[in-house]
Amino acid sequence: MNILVSGGSGFIGAVAVDSFCSQGHKVIRLVRPSAGQPSASSVVWEPSSGRLDALPQPLDAVVHLAGENILGLWTQAKKQRIYDSRIKSTALLAARLAELPQKPSVFICASAVGFYGHCGDAVLTETAGCGQGFLSRVCRDWEAATEPAYRAGIRTVCLRFGMVLAEHGGALAKMLPVFRLGLGGAIGDGSQWTSWITLADAVRVIGFAIDNILLAGAVNAVVSEPVRNSELTKELGRVLHRPAALAVPSSLLRLGLGDFAREVLLSSTRAVPEKLRSAGFAFRHPSLGAALADILEHA
């Protein structure tokens, strides 16, 4: 297949591109003007200015993974970058795909379980409503921006990723140095639910969504067994053979990290992959302990 990919050098995108290439697909990357001279395997775009150069034809699938990293202190400038990098890029890409004379079969757009917001112990399938707060609004508008592609008859899938686990990126990579020193522990009281997936399975879900013609709309890209933060930190300590008893007070996190702490670190989201289960997707890493052991075996 000919697969157009945005965010192809990112945390998930780089591994996805390698996977596509290993399967014999041709990957065309969306790259920024600063990336240098475009080639036959790249297309220049600049979503902030509305630039998207001519797309090659035919395209079989489009995988849109670009977006500002949400980790870190959410200043107003950071929030604006998070929002614009997702909504502007998605709206631009969806509109252009809708105009193509020969449209791709499928448009895969990343999203996040942050769509649901803080929901306590409630079990969340894809039918659950949008939550409150900044991250929920971002996810809602992000998914809504795919509408032109959907209305043009392109099968559109919004993958709501949870915490993506890998040793070289994402939240786990930030946690590892602290836990390896034996200074890790639960966040707040540790009761909040974390919906997660390994990077390897995240990439497999993308491929599955491309191939499965019955999969459409919002899809929870998380395993069937979300865990409480206390279990996540305990398992990480166990796999690393380190204590993990130094809990971080929620009040301190709120004071230091503000909305990021409230909406990401302390928020409880117990999402389950109802659509993936119904479609027959089999996770390679369905349980946390075995997933962490596999990830960290050669780390």
Side-chain angles (χ1 to χ4, degrees):
M1 292 188 289
N2 294 325
I3 304 177
L4 182 71
V5 178
S6 79
S9 60
F11 173 45
I12 298 176
V15 181
V17 166
D18 286 346
S19 175
F20 295 149
C21 291
S22 71
Q23 296 172 60
H25 303 308
K26 179 182 178 182
V27 173
I28 303 99
R29 299 171 186 253
L30 286 172
V31 299
R32 300 304 174 100
S34 58
Q37 190 70 21
S39 66
S41 60
S42 66
V43 173
V44 174
W45 76 331
E46 188 63 62
S48 61
S49 65
R51 176 183 175 180
L52 175 55
D53 289 0
L55 296 175
Q57 293 273 267
L59 288 174
D60 298 295
V62 177
V63 178
H64 178 38
L65 301 170
E68 173 85 8
N69 195 323
I70 69 165
L71 298 179
L73 179 64
W74 284 359
T75 62
Q76 284 304 118
K78 173 77 169 178
K79 282 185 172 183
Q80 199 63 53
R81 290 196 303 272
I82 290 171
Y83 186 90
D84 289 347
S85 67
R86 287 161 171 77
I87 285 67
K88 286 186 177 181
S89 64
T90 304
L92 175 63
L93 189 52
R96 182 62 64 84
L97 295 177
E99 296 170 352
L100 291 176
Q102 188 174 351
K103 296 173 177 58
S105 299
V106 60
F107 177 34
I108 309 293
C109 182
S111 184
V113 295
F115 174 90
Y116 305 111
H118 177 67
C119 294
D121 291 337
V123 177
L124 306 166
T125 68
E126 290 87 352
T127 60
C130 184
Q132 303 294 317
F134 169 71
L135 196 55
S136 295
R137 179 169 65 89
V138 169
C139 293
R140 179 198 66 199
D141 294 353
W142 194 3
E143 295 179 13
T146 66
E147 184 74 9
Y150 167 75
R151 291 172 67 166
I154 302 169
R155 180 170 62 89
T156 301
V157 184
C158 295
L159 294 177
R160 292 176 178 166
F161 290 108
M163 178 189 284
V164 179
L165 301 180
E167 79 281 1
H168 65 275
L172 182 60
K174 300 287 187 184
M175 297 166 66
L176 283 174
V178 176
F179 276 76
R180 284 183 168 132
L181 290 172
L183 301 175
I187 295 174
D189 65 8
S191 64
Q192 65 272 33
W193 289 94
T194 299
S195 301
W196 63 276
I197 186 171
T198 63
L199 177 57
D201 272 338
V203 171
R204 291 179 62 244
V205 166
I206 294 170
F208 185 81
I210 290 174
D211 294 337
N212 193 307
I213 61 173
L214 299 180
L215 209 59
V219 175
N220 287 342
V222 293
V223 301
S224 299
E225 298 180 14
V227 295
R228 293 191 187 273
N229 177 262
S230 57
E231 182 181 349
L232 170 63
T233 52
K234 179 181 177 182
E235 280 297 302
L236 182 54
R238 183 187 65 79
V239 170
L240 293 172
H241 307 290
R242 297 289 189 275
L246 297 178
V248 184
S250 56
S251 57
L252 185 62
L253 289 168
R254 291 191 187 97
L255 181 63
L257 293 173
D259 288 345
F260 173 73
R262 280 186 287 271
E263 295 194 32
V264 178
L265 301 178
L266 300 170
S267 185
S268 183
T269 308
R270 193 180 183 183
V272 294
E274 185 173 87
K275 284 190 177 180
L276 285 177
R277 287 190 301 208
S278 297
F281 182 80
F283 289 92
R284 187 171 294 162
H285 301 113
S287 62
L288 181 65
L292 288 174
D294 190 46
I295 290 169
L296 299 174
E297 182 180 0
H298 304 295

